[in-house]
Amino acid sequence: MFTKTTQYLLSLAVLSGTAIADQAAFDQLSQDAKDQTVYFHAWGGADSINQYIQWAADEVESRYGVTVEHVKIDDAAAVVSRLLVEKQADKSEGGDVDLMWVNGENFHTLQREGLLADGWTHKLPNMQFTDPDDLSLSFDFGVKVEQQEAPWGRAQLVFFADPTATPDLPTSAAELLAYAEANPGRVSYPRPPQFHGTTFLKQMLSELIDDRSVLNQPADTVDAAAITAPLWGYLDQLHPHLWQQADSFPQDAGAMLQMLDDGVLDIALSFNPSEASQAIADGRLNPDVRSYVHSAGTIGNTHFVAIPFNANAPEGAKVFANFLMSPEAQARKADPNVWGDPTVLDIERLSAEDQARFAALEQGVATLSPAELGRPLPEPHPSWVPVLERLWAERYQP
Amino acid sequence: MILALLLCAWLLWQQGLSSALVLGDIPGLWRSVWLSGFTGLLSTVLAALLAVYWVQVGQRFAWLVGVPHLALAVGLAQIWSPSGLWGHWSVASGLLAQVPQFPNLRDDNGLFMVFALMLKEAAFLAIVFGSQSTAEDGQRVILARSLGCNRAQAYWRVHVPMMLARGRYAIWLALTYAVTQVEVASVLSPQRPPTLALMIIERLNDARPEAWTQAIWLVLALVVLVMLTIVTFELLLKPLLVHRAFGETLAQRCLSGFSRFAALHIVLSIVILTVLAVSKRWPSGQWLPSGWHIDTLSRVLSGDVFLNTLMLGLTASLLGILIALTLLHFGWRFAGASRIWVVAALGLPSLLTVLGLYWLSVQTQLPSILVLLWGHGFVVLAYQLLLLAPAWQKLPKPLCDQAASLGMRPWQVTSRVRLPLMSRVIATAVAIGFSVSVAQYVSTLVLTGGRVQTLGIEVVIAAGSGQRNYLAASALMLASLPAVVFWISHAAPNWLWRTRKGMQIVD
């Protein structure tokens, strides 16, 4: 029998052999990708993110000869809708989308409708820097990823306010209601089905029900109306005290941040924990603004990039996805002066040089430390999203 | 257009007519239908009245036609939103202690949307009304005055009915646009629920499989709504406008004041876009932004998006001119079936065409850029034919006959006689075609899935995300591009043919 040391050495040899084989395969992939144009469909609502994507595109073009065009979209669901139409029309190649930035809800639809390319992420060399035991990378909104999407960044719901003007920050659903009652018109949330608006509903629902585990189950297997009843009761109380008495809502989290700076709202929210720091560094936000989270925790997830079934340049898309996961690109993305999006890499798996890149990053004046952020609340099963959006529309869009 | 209708019908046949029942699942549908009809009718009536007034006092806002609806809507929002000019100045002046909670730009009845639509449509209608004025118009008013009408009575009883009757088709076009537009609605529409057109866009952006079926039914509902609003305007509202027998003087004064209010907003919206495009943060309660820079403006100007918009507009416009002149050369006339085609191209909701073209492109797998040029060129060509056909028919036939008798072939008669004589109209048609193409937001987005990014798409994305500096810079460029092309189109013929006067060479 092998000793433990022999076993370790053998496994190391096998792993390094796999890595070499992967590298050879990736070199071939890079060759195939040369001169391809990748259409990367990604949300274009934040200038900092757009500039980061442009930087990554320039790098990939100079290193691999792959041209990346950032197709700015305001909702990834529009891309899913297009892919559905193309699938119905049997357009199985030459599609308009090569790579897309997805959230769990859209990933669930893409996977269910067979709109994704077969598993491919295990072929990317930079996957070795992620933690294979990290469930947030292998499950997206509770749905198994099946190597059909590559992790790109992490998100957690955070709230922003100016503590000098709002000393008693509301850190729970109940406190938020009390704050809104005491300060009518100074609180709001984006209108569902906008992504941040739906996240706000999920956050409040998570706080308002006793047993959160029920949200991990598909919504059609439980009594969704009964489970969500506390949420609607809460919103019925909250809406009369919201900005414009909830007759209208901010378009999205970016608009809320602008309204916070303009003094229209007292509280803004975002899925990017570094967004306030980034905006302050950019001169777009009152420097006194700080981030905070609710005491029961806030919803967090990992965001991914995926390749559709009929991508026109799948090789180029994989090369770009691999670059986005590189320590260099991840460190730049995590910089609050650039984007401030937390990395998906396991720092301990990086070389000393790459670890130093991350260590050198400043946290940002308004960014919470990982300890302050706390453990994120898991996303509910994706089937809750359409249920919440439909019930919200039926109730508040008569 | 017919193809679009047939494709919609085929798709619905596939799904079954019972799929119309999905409309019952849409919350707020009837409210949305009412909202679209109400805002469309009100904005068109006000625009028509304002346009008639502008024609009477001398047109001053013809240039506004070239400014895309979207840019104007963004400018107005930056004036009136609680965090806009009004919000900042009301706190800076000490009038209010805190940024006001009102007004609500997305009010339930869409009144701000009506105001924005009215300004743009008034400019369009004023140009049409103005081009149809004759010397006899003035004499009719003089006759009314000599028969005892005061100035206001002559205006309301003679001038207004005359203009509304002549501009009937233009009013229908304005009404159709107002009911079906997405551009202004994306910035100023109420949200609970939005307009019908915006509801369709939401369905097209919806990942649920049934959303497309809903979108198609909603487009057909939109077509019916357009017809209903035109009938309502003709049977109910127009008689009210043209048979006024009381309060003319008061109405005249109101119109005069309203015109000044509108003019102030047109100018202010351009000014505020310029200020925000070159400013840094604007702290709450300050009269002016805290700093200035042109980085964003430079980035927009040097970016691919600007270039895409410019190239797409020029390509669509020049292609349109080429096709229009070829058609006219081969005897196309603005009459009969041709007239129906042009009116249908402009009068049916663009969402219907876009949806049909998109479905066709998916089925035939045509390159998206080709479909995009088709989508843009279709509308551009219709506008250009509308402008060029009357001018072509007015060309002096004896000159063309004489050129032919001197041995010129038909194409030489066109290139060496007709085109020089029409140079100014052609230049104007290029500029109008360009501005129509630049304003095509929905077709660009749907037909290419966003792969061709234009300033219009950029503005809509930025409008929803609070990037005020970037939004203003993009909207300003969106407004400026057509204006520059209009200016060039006016100046170019003067320069190119500076040595000619008609057919005569001058030193």
Side-chain angles (χ1 to χ4, degrees):
Chain A
M1 297 301 289
F2 297 116
T3 62
K4 276 193 172 178
T5 310
T6 316
Q7 277 181 349
Y8 175 76
L9 288 173
L10 270 175
S11 60
L12 203 64
V14 169
L15 277 175
S16 63
T18 310
I20 290 165
D22 283 349
Q23 191 57 50
F26 186 75
D27 289 344
Q28 182 59 47
L29 185 75
S30 308
Q31 281 300 313
D32 296 342
K34 200 161 190 274
D35 297 329
Q36 284 188 341
T37 298
V38 173
Y39 287 93
F40 177 40
H41 290 239
W43 181 66
D47 208 21
S48 55
I49 299 177
N50 296 343
Q51 290 193 51
Y52 172 77
I53 292 173
Q54 189 54 54
W55 167 82
D58 292 343
E59 291 296 315
V60 167
E61 181 155 31
S62 66
R63 295 180 195 194
Y64 301 100
V66 175
T67 306
V68 176
E69 296 285 348
H70 177 195
V71 179
K72 292 174 196 156
I73 53 171
D74 59 359
D75 190 349
V79 184
V80 180
S81 169
R82 265 185 104 77
L83 290 169
L84 269 172
V85 173
E86 290 181 358
K87 179 88 172 177
Q88 284 169 5
D90 291 328
K91 188 175 180 178
S92 55
E93 56 186 27
D96 289 336
V97 186
D98 295 309
L99 187 69
M100 60 185 293
W101 182 11
V102 283
N103 62 18
E105 175 202 354
N106 289 318
F107 174 72
H108 179 59
T109 309
L110 287 164
Q111 196 180 58
R112 189 188 62 215
E113 302 292 333
L115 301 174
L116 290 169
D118 292 336
W120 52 276
T121 58
H122 58 290
K123 295 173 185 167
L124 304 184
N126 287 332
M127 275 299 282
Q128 66 181 303
F129 300 125
T130 61
D131 179 359
D133 296 329
D134 185 345
L135 291 180
S136 73
L137 303 187
S138 46
F139 287 87
D140 191 0
F141 279 41
V143 177
K144 203 161 190 320
V145 166
E146 305 281 12
Q147 297 172 335
Q148 288 184 301
E149 54 177 3
W152 189 21
R154 293 184 195 276
Q156 185 168 347
L157 187 67
V158 288
F159 298 88
F160 305 132
D162 175 1
T164 59
T166 314
D168 298 322
L169 299 172
T171 57
S172 68
E175 285 181 22
L176 184 68
L177 175 60
Y179 184 86
E181 284 171 346
N183 302 275
R186 308 293 299 172
V187 175
S188 190
Y189 64 92
R191 172 181 174 257
Q194 201 282 331
F195 177 65
H196 293 99
T198 307
T199 304
F200 178 81
L201 298 186
K202 288 188 277 189
Q203 173 70 32
M204 293 300 121
L205 180 62
S206 296
E207 289 188 43
L208 291 165
I209 59 175
D210 295 329
D211 179 15
R212 282 190 204 126
S213 65
V214 73
L215 299 178
N216 299 333
Q217 299 169 42
D220 56 359
T221 61
V222 293
D223 186 355
I227 290 168
T228 57
L231 174 66
W232 311 126
Y234 175 80
L235 292 180
D236 285 349
Q237 287 180 281
L238 183 68
H239 273 199
H241 309 292
L242 291 186
W243 178 67
Q244 308 281 10
Q245 290 82 47
D247 278 340
S248 49
F249 296 83
Q251 286 283 93
D252 72 3
M256 283 188 85
L257 200 65
Q258 181 71 62
M259 292 164 83
L260 173 68
D261 190 51
D262 288 337
V264 177
L265 296 179
D266 288 345
I267 296 167
L269 57 81
S270 172
F271 233 152
N272 176 0
S274 298
E275 183 156 354
S277 296
Q278 211 268 327
I280 291 169
D282 213 23
R284 291 185 289 116
L285 187 63
N286 173 5
D288 293 332
V289 167
R290 294 292 177 268
S291 309
Y292 72 97
V293 289
H294 282 192
S295 49
T298 52
I299 285 182
N301 63 33
T302 304
H303 52 90
F304 297 80
V305 291
I307 299 177
F309 72 105
N310 62 354
N312 191 44
E315 296 83 10
K318 287 170 193 168
V319 168
F320 187 55
N322 186 59
F323 177 75
L324 292 177
M325 279 200 299
S326 67
E328 179 190 0
Q330 288 280 314
R332 187 178 174 87
K333 184 164 65 71
D335 185 347
N337 293 314
V338 177
W339 176 356
D341 192 44
T343 183
V344 291
L345 303 183
D346 181 358
I347 303 295
E348 290 178 4
R349 290 169 188 266
L350 303 182
S351 67
E353 185 191 351
D354 286 332
Q355 287 189 17
R357 287 180 199 267
F358 285 93
L361 292 175
E362 289 175 14
Q363 185 173 274
V365 64
T367 308
L368 298 175
S369 67
E372 290 169 317
L373 272 173
R375 193 174 177 79
L377 297 176
E379 284 276 1
H381 188 273
S383 56
W384 283 96
V385 172
V387 170
L388 286 174
E389 289 171 354
R390 181 174 51 81
L391 293 175
W392 186 92
E394 284 173 3
R395 198 168 185 95
Y396 301 114
Q397 187 173 290
Chain B
M1 189 66 65
I2 293 167
L3 186 67
L5 277 168
L6 284 174
L7 280 167
C8 284
W10 176 78
L11 192 64
L12 290 174
W13 187 255
Q14 294 275 310
Q15 302 265 350
L17 288 176
S18 60
S19 63
L21 294 174
V22 295
L23 292 181
D25 298 337
I26 301 176
L29 176 63
W30 293 111
R31 169 81 188 166
S32 176
V33 169
W34 181 87
L35 181 70
S36 298
F38 168 75
T39 54
L41 278 167
L42 184 59
S43 61
T44 308
V45 167
L46 291 174
L49 291 178
L50 198 58
V52 174
Y53 182 77
W54 281 354
V55 170
Q56 195 208 24
V57 298
Q59 290 176 35
R60 292 169 196 167
F61 299 106
W63 57 271
L64 191 60
V65 169
V67 177
H69 287 79
L70 191 54
L72 183 71
V74 170
L76 289 173
Q78 297 304 328
I79 297 171
W80 279 103
S81 77
S83 56
L85 184 72
W86 146 250
H88 278 102
W89 284 4
S90 58
V91 178
S93 63
L95 194 67
L96 296 170
Q98 208 173 39
V99 175
Q101 293 297 312
F102 60 93
N104 180 3
L105 288 185
R106 293 177 177 271
D107 61 283
D108 279 351
N109 295 309
L111 295 180
F112 274 96
M113 188 167 70
V114 166
F115 185 63
L117 280 169
M118 177 208 69
L119 290 182
K120 270 289 295 173
E121 297 312 314
F124 165 69
L125 292 175
I127 284 186
V128 176
F129 293 166
S131 69
Q132 292 172 345
S133 297
T134 63
E136 196 185 303
D137 296 351
Q139 291 171 351
R140 286 195 188 195
V141 174
I142 291 168
L143 177 67
R145 295 292 304 275
S146 69
L147 293 175
C149 292
N150 63 28
R151 187 187 293 266
Q153 285 170 333
Y155 177 82
W156 284 103
R157 295 179 190 183
V158 178
H159 194 66
V160 172
M162 201 163 54
M163 288 288 151
L164 293 186
R166 284 199 198 135
R168 166 185 285 193
Y169 293 116
I171 291 172
W172 287 9
L173 289 183
L175 186 52
T176 303
Y177 179 81
V179 174
T180 63
Q181 55 82 28
V182 172
E183 292 83 2
V184 178
S186 63
V187 180
L188 296 172
S189 166
Q191 294 174 316
R192 296 191 320 140
T195 61
L196 196 53
L198 218 51
M199 210 176 238
I200 293 166
I201 295 292
E202 284 183 357
R203 294 297 175 287
L204 294 179
N205 290 344
D206 195 326
R208 288 173 303 142
E210 70 272 21
W212 262 79
T213 310
Q214 288 184 344
I216 293 168
W217 277 114
L218 287 175
V219 168
L220 295 180
L222 194 61
V223 175
V224 174
L225 180 65
V226 166
M227 292 172 183
L228 283 176
T229 49
I230 289 175
V231 170
T232 307
F233 178 80
E234 287 295 325
L235 296 184
L236 292 177
L237 296 176
K238 205 158 118 184
L240 283 176
L241 294 174
V242 300
H243 294 300
R244 291 184 57 84
F246 57 92
E248 289 96 341
T249 305
L250 179 64
Q252 184 79 342
R253 282 183 187 156
C254 288
L255 200 53
S256 170
F258 191 58
S259 173
R260 289 198 180 96
F261 184 71
L264 175 72
H265 279 82
I266 291 168
V267 174
L268 265 184
S269 59
I270 300 297
V271 170
I272 190 76
L273 284 182
T274 311
V275 168
L276 291 176
V278 294
S279 65
K280 290 184 175 169
R281 183 169 167 252
W282 192 340
S284 178
Q286 301 289 315
W287 285 101
L288 286 172
S290 58
W292 307 91
H293 70 122
I294 58 164
D295 298 353
T296 311
L297 203 55
S298 314
R299 198 148 49 83
V300 172
L301 261 174
S302 60
D304 287 348
V305 173
F306 181 81
L307 198 63
N308 286 348
T309 313
L310 182 67
M311 294 311 294
L312 182 61
L314 285 178
T315 309
S317 182
L318 293 175
L319 263 178
I321 281 289
L322 205 63
I323 296 170
L325 290 174
T326 307
L327 286 172
L328 291 168
H329 174 76
F330 286 105
W332 189 92
R333 293 175 71 83
F334 186 60
S338 305
R339 188 205 297 261
I340 292 172
W341 175 82
V342 172
V343 172
L346 301 176
L348 278 175
S350 62
L351 274 166
L352 182 68
T353 324
V354 169
L355 216 59
L357 269 177
Y358 174 61
W359 190 252
L360 180 72
S361 73
V362 172
Q363 295 294 330
T364 57
Q365 310 207 353
L366 283 170
S368 54
I369 190 71
L370 195 67
V371 181
L372 177 66
L373 277 177
W374 186 350
H376 276 228
F378 181 70
V379 187
V380 166
L381 177 63
Y383 272 104
Q384 289 176 331
L385 280 172
L386 206 60
L387 191 70
L388 291 173
W392 185 281
Q393 280 153 20
K394 280 183 193 165
L395 285 173
K397 195 167 179 297
L399 281 182
C400 301
D401 291 343
Q402 189 181 331
S405 72
L406 290 170
M408 297 284 114
R409 292 173 181 280
W411 66 268
Q412 286 175 313
V413 174
T414 292
S415 65
R416 298 181 63 178
V417 178
R418 290 192 179 105
L419 295 190
L421 287 173
M422 288 182 61
S423 59
R424 282 177 214 288
V425 188
I426 291 172
T428 305
V430 170
I432 284 182
F434 180 82
S435 64
V436 167
S437 171
V438 167
Q440 296 288 306
Y441 154 71
V442 174
S443 60
T444 314
L445 183 68
V446 175
L447 296 178
T448 69
R451 273 171 74 150
V452 177
Q453 295 274 314
T454 58
L455 283 169
I457 294 176
E458 202 83 344
V459 167
V460 171
I461 292 176
S465 59
Q467 306 173 68
R468 194 157 53 194
N469 178 230
Y470 190 74
L471 168 67
S474 301
L476 186 65
M477 286 302 105
L478 183 66
S480 306
L481 252 184
V484 170
V485 172
F486 261 102
W487 179 81
I488 293 172
S489 76
H490 181 71
N494 288 340
W495 185 80
L496 282 173
W497 285 286
R498 60 191 178 281
T499 58
R500 288 183 74 152
K501 189 176 179 183
M503 294 308 296
Q504 187 186 357
I505 306 290
V506 291
D507 293 325

